[in-house]
Every structure is written in structure tokens, then in C-alpha cells.
Amino acid sequence: MVRTNGLARTSVRFRPASFAGSFIALLFAATLVTMCGIFLESGLRAHVPPGRYTDTPIVVAGQNSVHKTFGSGEDKEEVSVALPERSRIDAGLASRIAAVPGVATVLPDLTFPAQTFTAVLDAHPWSAARLAGTAQGGTTPRVGEAVLTTDAAARAGNGIAPGGTLRVTTPSGETTLKVAAVVPGRGAHVYVADAEATKLAGNPGKVTAFGVLLADGTSTGKVAGDLRKVLADADVRVRTGDGRGEVDHPGLGDTKVMLTGLGGSFGGVVAMVSIFVVAGATSLSVAQRRRDFALLRAVGATPWQIRRMIATEAGCVALVAGLIGLLPGTLLARVWFDEMIDRGMVENGVTLSIGPIPMLAAIGAGILSAVLAGLLAARASARTKPTEALGEAGIERARVGWFRLVLGIVAVAGAGVVSGLAMKVSGDQAIAAASGVIMLFMLGIGLLGPLVAHLFVRLTGVVLRLFGAPGRLAFDNARTNSRRLASAITPITLTVAFATTLMFMFAAQDHYGEKQSKAALTADRVVTGPGFPARAAGDVARIPGVDAVTSILTTSVVMSTSDALEKYPTQAVGGTDSDLAKVLDLGIRKGGIEALRPGAAQPPGGAVAMDRLTADAVKARVGKPIEMRLGDGTRIKPMLVATYDRGLGTAVVTLPRATVEHHVDAAMDGRLLVRFADGADPAAVDAALTKVTGQHPAVTVSDRAGYAAERDQARETNKWVNQVMLIILAGFATIAAVNTMIVSTVARRRELGLMRMIGSTHAQVRGVMRGEAVLVGVIGLVLGLTIAMITLVPFGKGAFGESTPYIPIPLLLEISAAALLLAPLSVAPVTRRLLRIEPIDAVGAKE
């Protein structure tokens, strides 16, 4: 009776080289799954401390997300999305809050930006200083005065002290404030008189939040519950505990979505790639020891004992690899998280949550995938009859099991169907479908690897035979050992497919964005800065030689597609010009944008124009109203007056400035587009522009040729995150490919020794190995590029309206060179090392 568990442990202990490939694959898989799990847990647990509201037990503020229910019955699903702007609430609610039993004081809070030449500070009314525990010291600022915290004074510049002056730019314009005092306090804040705060914020009758102070002995939970009942109809949220921090950190919702999405979606891709890589490495390990299993079958081992032994081996290796992979996974998560903090992608105060759940999940996932891969790889060895065992041991079969064959065909067919369906949709739906296409293809390649390798080897055999005896021998070897080749081809295909798809997506976005931006801009000058108040456009328009000025205020709106809520980058146009086309040609496809110009009559509900692909995604039609949410959650239903082609180079939604100016954190324009009058002196106008705009901090003036369209921050963030994902995935797959090639080459020392014993020279042996390696690279490259091209077709149609993928030739050549050189460079040093062994020793060596 064969004791399979003991034999498995002994095999792992005394023959570790046989499991090196599986161990390395499982180690990297555990590292990446741990990292993704930490991100997922961090997103789910993300919170920020109360900050300014530490001494305020209850805070009443607006909603920070919008919700919508899709489907019905059992398919009903509620989807939410974080609001892109801080929502404000009616100042008149103060009386209703004060009437609730247990409420001692209601303090209205208002937050708005105050720009200096060195920093952007948060400004508030002086009464809100009590909410933050700021030391008041008996000083109350009057109109025209300000009180700064010590941190704000340090950021505002040298020489800021009581009695000095501070010039700031607010949504209502520029103003000079006398510094009444500098006091200790949390954060960089500037406080002004209550009446002046309302004026400078530019949102009369609105506040950011109410801080609620309680009477002595009053229960926070009871008062909060009573407030929720009283304010049930007011579309506000009553926050206590860590929920108070969300009011001062409106970006927390986006941080949660980013971290959970990164951990979930990237984790899913990593898990699938890991399955392919681990399965290939495990299959190779089992195939290399087929003589051992054949001998066990010949001496009486049952198929179940063979399967159990292989599964136990895989589980032991996976456990050790998983435990070792926890530390590098945690360190990798920390490094990536710190980089996101440096890029401003993570809300201040959010920390990385490192708990046992992601680690247990990584170990468990590794063991499960390794055991399943081992059981699948063991099927052939376990089913072999004892009398045929030793004869079968030396033969590799290209065919796969019927279940694997059917599942692989279904996956490839499904990829084709999804690709066809993606061609009939647009926008984000087509982009999402593209990711489904690539994953289905990868599943199919992973399942049908031996058959695909065998087919490609036969197709390329004609070429190999042209290289003489080494080429013919390489072809015969590759055809006979297609399973071994498949283990190396799969990770190369993964690398090429992912790298090509993601890099070509980024290149296409940059290409079409730059192309559309250049075509859209018709202004003579573009003035950019951190923020211009509304009257800045009028100041520029009064410069002699200026014909028209259009201001661009950047925000986002929320609209629903067929099954999701999405945020869309939006430009709100204002200024003085009566014809937007003087400075910005959107490429109108249908309708007209006259209703968007300043002062123009608008249809009931307002007017909006959209990029045509976005309009298709949200099912909007010209002449019909479309429901959307402004940045602060306000629901509007403007009429779609036009669709255009150049949304990627400008913004996919265009609204009048008047529609959004009271629904953003700060109604400050990021760009001023300036058109010169006929016959104007450009040098004189430029000098005047510099003088007028010089009172604003960090202002730049560029001409049409030097202007680069301001990129949507969300798109840039997504691009950087995907590039990091690409590097990690490509690195993982590359390591797996190199590992597989090295392990499979080392296992062939008997074969290489035999070749030398029958007269083959070192050069001929190296030629055979090089030929096989090149064949692996060619097959992986062709398969990867084919999958990428099929995936990029629906992406191009959905994102740019182009069915032909954009192919940057330099990138294509770089990817091709890397794929073709990977296998030969991996095999060459191992081959040289094996050729140093005497042929007789190599032939007699143990496996």
C-alpha cells in the first residue's frame, strides 16, 4: 500500500528542483493576491478622522453620493457613485435643527478656497472656529479682517503676522484682508467675519454643514436619531463618529471606489493570470516526473493515490510559497499606496489597512489553485494502465481531455460573441466589453494550449526546416513536446496580449485627444491658472485688441447608462463672446450650441451639448431632455441641443457656466480662451494680458501651437494606475515564462547529452534549442497580438468611434522584439551550462 502523503512530503523534501517552477509561480501569485487583498480591505474600511469636527459631536451636511436602482425583482441592484463636488445645504435648516431637544448650539459652517500666491487655503466663517477647537483668544475678525491658523500663516508666505495684509482670490473675486491674529488650530485655515464669508463663497443662502453642540448629559445617539427623523425630507445626512470626517474630506468616496476597484478588478485579473501560470508550471512539473508515476502505477499504485500524491505535493509547495509571499505582497502594497498618496490620488487621512483576511485569502487561493492544477495535470498519469505505464512515460500527447477541450472551445467562441456584441454598443459599455474579450481569449488559450502549440508548430515547421539539421530537429522536438511548449507559450501570450492592449489604449487616447484638441482650439491665446473668478473674463475682454473671451469652468456631472451611474468630465462655458466657435470648435455633428453662449435664451430646464459617443451611451437624443446630476448632486433635466465629435480633446459634456456656478466647490475658471480682434497687435495684447492676469497666482499664457488640452484628472489617474498594473502583470508573466523555459531546459539534459553522444556539435545543440525558443516567441507573439487586435476593435469603436485600432509602430516593434528575444535569452545561458556536462554524465543523470 503506497502511503501517498508521506511519499509526497518526501518528494518535495528531497527533490526540490522538481518543484522550483511551481514554487516561483505560486510565490509571485501569493505576493500579488496579498497586495490586491490589502487594497480591497483598505477600500472597504477607508475612513478619515473627524479633523476639524473632533470637538463637534454631530455634523449635519449634504449627501456625498447619489444612488439609483437598476432592474426589478430578484435582479434589482442599487448602484451608487460619489459626488464629484461637495454638496451644500439650505442655511434655513438651522432653526429646525435647533428645535430638536438636546441641541445646545447650532453653528453653520462654510468652506471655500482662498488662493494666495503660494498656497490654496480653506476659508471659513469665524463662528465655525469653535467647531474645530481653534483657540479664539478673544479676537473676532471684523469685515475686511482675517484670522489665520499657524499652519495657514506658514503656507501663505513669509511676513504674515498680525497687522499685516493677505491678498486672496476667492470665488467672488480678489480681496485684501488685514491679518487680525494668528492662532493655534488644526490644519491650514483662514477665518473671516461671518457676513463676509457668505459673500466671498459665492453661494448665498447655502452652507457646507451645521455643527451641532449638545447640552450637558445629552446622548449623542438619541439626538442624532431625532435629527434624522426631523430632517428626513431635507436630503441631508446626520453624521457622528468617523462619519464627521467625510464632510471635510469629500474625496473619501472616490478613494474608496478607487481602492476597492483596484483590489477587486485587478485582483480578479491577477487571480486569472495566476491560475494560468500556476497550472502551466504544475503541469510541467508533473510531466517531467511521468516516469516516477509510471513506476508507481507498475508497482500497484491506484489512480486515486497518484492524484492524491500530486495534490498533496502541490498543496505543500503552495503553503510554503504563500507564507513567504505575504511579506513582499504587503511591502508592494505599501509602496504603491505611498506613491498614490504622493500623486494626490488618496484622500488625506486615509491609511492602508493590513489585516489577516487578505493574507489568509492569498494562501487559500494559492493552495486551491495549485491543488486543482495538480489534479488536472495528474489525470493522464493516473488513468494510464499499469501494463502501459512505462511505455507511456516517454511519450507526450498533444490532445487534451474532452472536458478541457469543450470548455476551451466555449471560451474562444464566447470571446468572439462578446467582441461582436461590443461592436454594437458605444462608450463605457464597449470599453467594458473589451476587457471581457481579452479574459475569455486568455481562458481559451490556457485550456487549449497544447493543441494550439501543436497546430502552430506544424504551420511554422516549413520555416524551421529551412535552417538545416538543427531546424528540422527543433521542429521534430517541438511537435513531439507541444505540452512543454504550451507551458512557455501561455505566459508569453499573456504578456503580449495585456501589454499590447493597455499600451495601445493609452497611445490611442493620447493620439486622438491631441488630434481633437488641436482641431477644437481656435483661440489665439489660452490663459491657464489655479482659478479665476467670474469677473476675470470681463477684465481680459476690456483689453484693447481682444475680441472675445470664453471662460472654462471644469467639473463633472453624473448620468446613468443602461446599468450604471457614471461621472462625465464637463466644461461650463461663460465669458463675453456671443459665438463659442470663435475660440472653441467642438465639431458639431447635430444641432447647434447657440443656447450655451452667455446671456442666450435657453429652453425649459436649460441646455446641454454632449460628445456623440457619450450621448449614445446615456441614450440622449437631440431635442429631448436628459436627466443628470450636477457635481453637488442637484438634479437637472436640460435639453440636449447638440452633439459633437471632439469630446476627448475638450470635455464630453458642455453646459453654460450659469447652470453650474452655484453647484461646485469653487466657481473659479481654470482657463480663459482669448480671441484677438482683426488687426490687433499680438505683442501689445500679450503685454496687457500678462499685466491683467499677473495679479493671479501661477498664471501661464500660451498660444495655439503651445497649448495642450487640460487632461481629465480621472483619465490621467486611470492611465497611471493601469500602467502600474501593466508593469506588475507583465513582470509576473515574464518571470513565469522565463521560469518555465529554464525549468524545461534543465529537464532536458539527458536529451542534450544523447545528442552530443551521437555526434552533434555544441553549435548544433545550441541551434536546436535556439530554434525551439524562437518558435515559442513567435507563437506567443502571434497569439498575443491577435487577441489584442480583436480586443482593441470594440474599444476603438466605443471610445473614439473608430473600428480600426490605432497602432503605434514604435510600440509594436518594441513589444515584438521583447517577445521574440525573451525565450532565446532565457534558454541560452542554461544551454551553455548543460553543455559543460560530459555527455555520459548527462545521459546517466537522475531526472
Side-chain angles (χ1 to χ4, degrees):
M1 183 73 174
V2 179
R3 299 185 61 184
T4 53
N5 289 346
L7 187 58
R9 290 192 296 269
T10 302
S11 180
V12 173
R13 180 180 178 185
F14 290 101
R15 299 181 59 181
S18 299
F19 306 93
S22 299
F23 176 80
I24 293 174
L26 287 163
L27 174 63
F28 280 93
T31 297
L32 297 184
V33 172
T34 299
M35 179 195 69
C36 294
I38 289 175
F39 282 145
L40 181 59
E41 183 178 20
S42 298
L44 295 174
R45 296 178 180 272
H47 66 281
V48 289
R52 291 178 55 241
Y53 299 113
T54 298
D55 300 325
T56 308
I58 300 176
V59 178
V60 179
Q63 301 286 349
N64 58 359
S65 61
V66 292
H67 308 264
K68 184 172 182 178
T69 301
F70 294 90
S72 60
E74 295 182 357
D75 296 329
K76 184 183 295 184
E77 180 183 8
E78 183 171 314
V79 178
S80 65
V81 62
L83 288 172
E85 307 278 358
R86 180 188 280 113
S87 61
R88 288 183 166 81
I89 57 178
D90 186 0
L93 292 176
S95 58
R96 294 173 61 182
I97 296 172
V100 173
V103 173
T105 307
V106 179
L107 297 173
D109 189 16
L110 191 59
T111 300
F112 58 95
Q115 293 180 11
T116 71
F117 273 87
T118 57
V120 178
L121 308 175
D122 284 336
H124 313 276
W126 176 243
S127 61
R130 290 178 60 188
L131 300 173
T134 299
Q136 299 187 0
T139 301
T140 300
R142 294 174 294 183
V143 173
E145 293 183 339
V147 174
L148 280 69
T149 61
T150 51
D151 191 12
R155 295 188 187 185
N158 296 327
I160 299 297
T165 59
L166 178 69
R167 183 171 180 81
V168 296
T169 301
T170 69
S172 294
E174 297 81 28
T175 187
T176 300
L177 302 170
K178 180 181 179 180
V179 179
V182 176
V183 298
R186 304 184 186 98
H189 303 286
V190 54
Y191 296 94
V192 298
D194 290 6
E196 191 161 33
T198 302
K199 174 185 175 184
L200 296 179
N203 285 289
K206 299 288 185 179
V207 297
T208 302
F210 291 105
V212 181
L213 304 181
L214 305 180
D216 293 340
T218 304
S219 168
T220 300
K222 183 178 185 309
V223 175
D226 293 340
L227 283 171
R228 292 186 181 97
K229 294 177 183 178
V230 170
L231 302 175
D233 61 337
D235 197 28
V236 298
R237 291 185 62 184
V238 178
R239 294 177 170 88
T240 59
D242 284 341
R244 295 169 294 172
E246 296 182 25
V247 179
D248 231 18
H249 297 274
L252 179 61
D254 286 333
T255 297
K256 288 182 176 181
V257 171
M258 182 193 67
L259 290 176
T260 54
L262 185 61
S265 61
F266 186 38
V269 174
V270 165
M272 182 165 287
V273 173
S274 299
I275 290 173
F276 294 145
V277 172
V278 170
T282 304
S283 297
L284 183 60
S285 174
V286 171
Q288 289 175 347
R289 294 180 295 131
R290 57 188 181 274
R291 284 190 173 88
D292 292 349
F293 303 134
L295 182 59
L296 288 173
R297 289 288 287 129
V299 298
T302 65
W304 164 243
Q305 288 174 323
I306 297 294
R307 293 192 186 99
R308 181 178 173 182
M309 186 186 98
I310 293 175
T312 303
E313 291 173 348
C316 291
V317 174
L319 177 60
V320 175
L323 291 172
I324 296 176
L326 297 181
L327 179 58
T330 303
L331 294 177
L332 185 59
R334 170 62 65 185
V335 170
W336 195 354
F337 188 79
D338 290 343
E339 182 65 23
M340 289 190 288
I341 291 177
D342 293 340
R343 291 174 174 267
M345 297 164 55
V346 177
E347 186 70 12
N348 291 332
V350 176
T351 58
L352 201 64
S353 297
I354 301 176
I357 296 178
M359 300 181 183
L360 293 175
I363 295 174
I367 293 175
L368 180 62
S369 61
V371 170
L372 290 178
L375 290 174
L376 289 175
R379 294 182 69 211
S381 298
R383 286 199 310 257
T384 305
K385 296 178 181 180
T387 55
E388 301 173 350
L390 293 176
E392 291 284 333
I395 301 173
E396 267 195 12
R397 293 170 295 179
R399 67 176 183 270
V400 296
W402 67 267
F403 179 77
R404 182 173 175 178
L405 176 63
V406 171
L407 193 58
I409 293 174
V410 169
V412 173
V417 171
V418 173
S419 180
L421 293 175
M423 294 294 294
K424 300 178 182 179
V425 296
S426 60
D428 292 334
Q429 291 176 317
I431 297 172
S435 62
V437 172
I438 192 170
M439 296 313 298
L440 284 171
F441 267 123
M442 293 317 306
L443 177 60
I445 294 298
L447 292 169
L448 302 177
L451 285 179
V452 173
H454 194 74
L455 175 62
F456 270 83
V457 167
R458 286 190 171 276
L459 293 176
T460 55
V462 176
V463 178
L464 279 179
R465 288 178 181 275
L466 297 177
F467 292 91
R472 289 193 295 272
L473 187 54
F475 167 69
D476 292 334
N477 265 328
R479 182 180 56 183
T480 305
N481 299 290
S482 56
R483 283 184 178 271
R484 183 187 66 212
L485 288 185
S487 298
I489 290 170
T490 299
I492 293 179
T493 303
L494 279 169
T495 304
V496 172
F498 277 114
T500 303
T501 301
L502 290 178
M503 292 176 72
F504 282 22
M505 281 182 176
F506 303 148
Q509 288 177 336
D510 291 340
H511 169 75
Y512 287 109
E514 183 179 358
K515 180 180 178 181
Q516 292 182 17
S517 177
K518 288 181 178 179
L521 186 67
T522 57
D524 295 301
R525 295 291 184 270
V526 179
V527 184
T528 59
F532 302 100
R535 70 185 190 189
D539 294 340
V540 173
R542 287 189 287 272
I543 295 175
V546 172
D547 178 36
V549 179
T550 290
S551 61
I552 304 293
L553 189 157
T554 303
T555 181
S556 294
V557 299
V558 178
M559 294 184 289
S560 62
T561 60
S562 59
D563 58 356
L565 286 173
E566 301 286 349
K567 286 188 283 192
Y568 294 91
T570 301
Q571 59 182 1
V573 294
T576 64
D577 61 303
S578 58
D579 184 3
L580 183 61
K582 287 184 178 180
V583 295
L584 198 63
D585 182 2
L586 297 175
I588 302 300
R589 173 64 67 96
K590 187 176 182 181
I593 56 174
E594 293 77 13
L596 301 180
R597 59 188 174 87
Q602 296 191 8
V608 64
M610 292 184 194
D611 180 269
R612 63 184 181 88
L613 298 176
T614 301
D616 289 342
V618 299
K619 295 180 171 55
R621 298 291 179 266
V622 173
K624 302 292 183 181
I626 175 70
E627 183 177 305
M628 64 178 62
R629 298 265 192 163
L630 297 176
D632 65 348
T634 301
R635 181 186 286 108
I636 62 173
K637 206 169 184 179
M639 179 182 292
L640 182 64
V641 296
T643 57
Y644 50 88
D645 290 330
R646 295 170 181 156
L648 187 63
T650 54
V652 298
V653 177
T654 302
L655 286 165
R657 190 183 194 279
T659 301
V660 306
E661 61 184 356
H662 295 301
H663 303 280
V664 293
D665 286 350
M668 304 180 74
D669 303 314
R671 286 172 289 168
L672 301 176
L673 309 182
V674 182
R675 180 64 177 252
F676 292 168
D678 294 338
D681 180 5
V685 176
D686 285 342
L689 268 175
T690 302
K691 182 178 180 180
V692 171
T693 59
Q695 59 187 317
H696 303 284
V699 172
T700 60
V701 180
S702 59
D703 60 15
R704 189 182 306 174
Y707 169 70
E710 179 182 338
R711 297 295 184 190
D712 172 46
Q713 184 61 38
R715 191 174 71 208
E716 287 300 298
T717 297
N718 183 63
K719 178 179 177 180
W720 179 81
V721 169
N722 278 292
Q723 286 174 333
V724 176
M725 290 170 54
L726 170 61
I727 292 171
I728 292 174
L729 280 175
F732 180 34
T734 300
I735 290 171
V738 172
N739 170 54
T740 301
M741 293 299 299
I742 291 175
V743 170
S744 61
T745 303
V746 170
R748 300 175 64 186
R749 55 188 180 275
R750 282 181 174 177
E751 176 187 336
L752 301 187
L754 183 60
M755 290 173 60
R756 292 169 60 198
M757 289 183 70
I758 62 176
S760 298
T761 65
H762 283 206
Q764 289 174 324
V765 173
R766 286 196 296 268
V768 170
M769 301 302 291
R770 187 166 50 247
E772 286 189 36
V774 170
L775 185 61
V776 168
V778 169
I779 295 174
L781 176 64
V782 171
L783 285 175
L785 289 179
T786 301
I787 293 171
M789 291 302 108
I790 296 175
T791 304
L792 288 168
V793 169
F795 168 77
K797 182 178 181 298
F800 318 117
E802 300 285 346
S803 297
T804 302
Y806 172 71
I807 301 176
I809 300 302
L811 277 179
L812 178 62
L813 294 177
E814 291 174 7
I815 293 172
S816 300
L820 292 175
L821 292 175
L822 178 62
L825 291 178
S826 302
V827 168
V830 182
T831 303
R832 286 196 298 270
R833 185 180 181 90
L834 293 177
L835 288 176
R836 295 177 190 152
I837 304 173
E838 290 298 326
I840 190 65
D841 294 333
V843 173
K846 296 185 295 181
E847 288 187 12

